[in-house]
Structures are given as structure tokens and as C-alpha cells.
Amino acid sequence: SVDKKITASLQDLTNAPVDEEMEEEFTPIKQEVQSFISRKIGRLDKTIESKYAFAGPCSFISLIHEIQMQISGAPISITAPLALNSVIREGDVTVNDMFQLYRFENFLYAMRLSGREIKGLLEMSYDLWTKQMTNETDDMFALRRTGNRTNFIAPYYNFDSAQGINYTVDVTKPKGEKLNITTLADGTPFDLDQEYMVAINSYRGNGGGDLLTIGAGIPKEELAKRIVFSTDRDLRHYLMKYIEEHGTINPTNAGNWKFIPEDWAKSASERHMKELFK
């Protein structure tokens, strides 16, 4: 047998010499990447920020919903914020901004889901996202406070919201009973027993976050059978293409859902946003 003792320590590389041979080898590649990500693809008429997605509908998430529905042809879209605090400034939009808008290499699916399954998925999402309030000073977001740091308890990329349907989220209600989905975007009554086509990313569509399996109650082995459409490239490619084709984008807030009671929700979300993004 051999005895080994290994120790590790951090080394200060501030004044370490540059490997000139390596720098020469990779400089052209670096310049090529820089040229690609700096390429202008369009313009935004206003600044959009992902952080507002936690307090309600916002133009950052509405833009993703809108493009998902347009690509898939589905009347309902489901997505979550994939970044806690991404900002894309008003003005020129570059390829690099697409990594702020959509961080992961997800494909886009259109899936067959019943109204009951859509509600189950969203109930689980908002249960991860929010707590049950008994008075207006209670926490609305499900938060963990450690020292002077405040974070969500659950991963925020599982905080799905929907567009194409109109609904409220009652934060005074217990787990599984918060949502009241009333109509589709066109005013048609929402039917729990009807099947709908839903635009959703491949992470969620393949069972990621358990929102479709535990929340909607669909066996994992059945998920693939529900997929009726899939893009052949990642969603970021299509977001970029959409902006290129439209030139100037004026993102709007669909405003199709809200937390209620509104006064409690407004007060609580303002408190929480200050804590999370101080």
C-alpha cells in the first residue's frame, strides 16, 4: 500500500507571466467569438429586466411567451425566468444579449395537456414560489434568510407562469388551491377537462423540476407521447431570429395574471424585491 498526503492552497497569479505562445494560438479564436457576440441583431424600445417576473407578469417574460407561441402555434405558453436579474437595455440588441434573455440550450416543444394538468403544473410552481399569507405583513415569497442574504428557497427556474390564459393566484389559499384560471386569451372559458396545445421548453417537457410529473400528475414515461412538435435548434436561436426579422421590438406586458389580494401582494412583493435585489 502507498500512503499519500495531498495539500492544496490558492496561488496568487496576479503577476504571473503571460504564456505568449498560448495567447498567440487563441487570440484569433477569441476575436472571432467577440465579433460574433457583438453583432447587432435589432433594437429594443425599452429596457427589460427578469427580476420583475417574480412579482407578476412582465415584459421580459411576455416576450419569451409571445415567441414560444408564435414558433409552436400553441395558444398557451409556459415558461420560467432562467435568470434572477438579467437586464437588456433599451437600444441596440446584440447576440450577447440573447444569453441574458435565455441562458440555457433548451429546445421548444408543443405538448398536449389537459386543463387540469395545466392547473396542476402551475399550482406546484406557485407553491414553490409563494407561501400562504394570513395577514398583510406575512411573507408572500418562499424565502430563505441567512445573515444579511435573502434567496428563494426553491430554484427560481421552476417558477413557471403561463400566457394565453387569464388567471389569479390567491396567496391566502393553501397549497394546491391558489389558482383560478378563468378564460383563454380570446375570452373562451377555460375547461379543466379539455385538451390544449401548450408551448413549453424541453427541460420542463422532459420532466425537469417535476412540475409535469408531480404537479400535473403525468407519468414520466408518458411525457414523450404528449410532444407533438419540437424545434430542431435551441430556443435562443429562434429568439435571435425573431428579433432580427422584426428589427425593432417593443416588448409589452401581457398582464394576464395577478396575485390576489392585490393590496397584500403589492406590499409584500415590494418588501421582498428590496431584500432580494438590494
Side-chain angles (χ1 to χ4, degrees), residues 108-144:
L108 177 66
Y109 291 165
M111 297 185 75
R112 292 181 293 105
L113 299 176
S114 72
R116 200 174 307 280
E117 289 165 345
I118 292 168
K119 184 177 186 294
L121 181 156
L122 292 172
E123 287 281 11
M124 181 173 174
S125 167
Y126 286 98
D127 286 337
L128 294 171
W129 185 342
T130 65
K131 302 176 84 170
Q132 183 179 6
M133 298 179 73
T134 57
N135 63 70
E136 61 183 329
T137 62
D138 282 346
D139 279 351
M140 182 173 79
F141 295 165
L143 300 173
R144 177 188 296 112

Side-chain angles (χ1 to χ4, degrees), residues 19 23 65 78 84 130 145 167 198-199 210 245 258:
D19 186 325
E23 185 177 45
H65 278 308
I78 289 175
L84 188 67
T130 65
R145 296 176 176 89
Y167 62 99
V198 180
D210 295 327
E245 288 174 353
K258 61 185 176 183

Side-chain angles (χ1 to χ4, degrees), residues 7-25:
T7 58
S9 62
L10 295 172
Q11 301 297 310
D12 184 3
L13 300 178
T14 306
N15 299 312
V18 174
D19 186 325
E20 294 181 1
E21 187 177 339
M22 180 176 286
E23 185 177 45
E24 184 178 351
E25 174 75 21

Side-chain angles (χ1 to χ4, degrees), residues 35-241:
S35 175
F36 172 72
I37 65 173
S38 300
R39 180 170 66 85
K40 177 185 170 182
I41 59 173
R43 287 184 59 81
L44 276 186
D45 272 353
K46 67 177 183 181
T47 297
I48 56 175
E49 302 182 55
S50 66
K51 68 181 182 182
Y52 296 116
F54 302 110
C58 74
S59 51
F60 190 102
I61 295 297
S62 284
L63 177 60
I64 297 172
H65 278 308
E66 192 63 41
I67 296 172
Q68 287 194 163
M69 289 188 286
Q70 186 171 116
I71 294 167
S72 66
I76 299 172
S77 169
I78 289 175
T79 196
L82 300 186
L84 188 67
N85 193 16
S86 278
V87 180
I88 304 179
R89 301 286 177 194
E90 175 185 353
D92 290 347
V93 178
T94 66
V95 171
N96 192 46
D97 289 321
M98 294 297 94
F99 292 86
Q100 294 294 317
L101 184 64
Y102 207 86
R103 291 199 168 179
F104 301 110
E105 279 65 41
N106 291 316
F107 288 76
L108 177 66
Y109 291 165
M111 297 185 75
R112 292 181 293 105
L113 299 176
S114 72
R116 200 174 307 280
E117 289 165 345
I118 292 168
K119 184 177 186 294
L121 181 156
L122 292 172
E123 287 281 11
M124 181 173 174
S125 167
Y126 286 98
D127 286 337
L128 294 171
W129 185 342
T130 65
K131 302 176 84 170
Q132 183 179 6
M133 298 179 73
T134 57
N135 63 70
E136 61 183 329
T137 62
D138 282 346
D139 279 351
M140 182 173 79
F141 295 165
L143 300 173
R144 177 188 296 112
R145 296 176 176 89
T146 309
N148 63 350
R149 298 194 62 179
T150 302
N151 294 294
F152 287 106
I153 295 171
Y156 54 80
Y157 53 78
N158 287 329
F159 296 172
D160 277 356
S161 66
Q163 196 161 303
I165 54 176
N166 298 308
Y167 62 99
T168 57
V169 182
D170 189 339
V171 291
T172 69
K173 299 290 187 185
K175 179 177 179 178
E177 299 177 17
K178 295 178 180 179
L179 266 80
N180 179 31
I181 308 174
T182 54
T183 65
L184 300 181
D186 64 4
T188 306
F190 183 79
D191 187 344
L192 292 176
D193 296 316
Q194 185 174 326
E195 188 173 83
Y196 297 99
M197 202 67 70
V198 180
I200 197 165
N201 71 37
S202 55
Y203 170 73
R204 187 73 71 237
N206 292 329
D210 295 327
L211 297 187
L212 278 172
T213 51
I214 296 175
I218 303 171
K220 190 169 178 61
E221 59 272 16
E222 191 185 318
L223 292 176
K225 300 173 189 173
R226 300 294 193 94
I227 301 166
V228 295
F229 165 84
S230 173
T231 56
D232 56 2
R233 299 188 66 170
D234 68 273
L235 186 49
R236 193 187 305 115
H237 165 80
Y238 293 96
L239 294 169
M240 184 166 69
K241 190 175 175 183

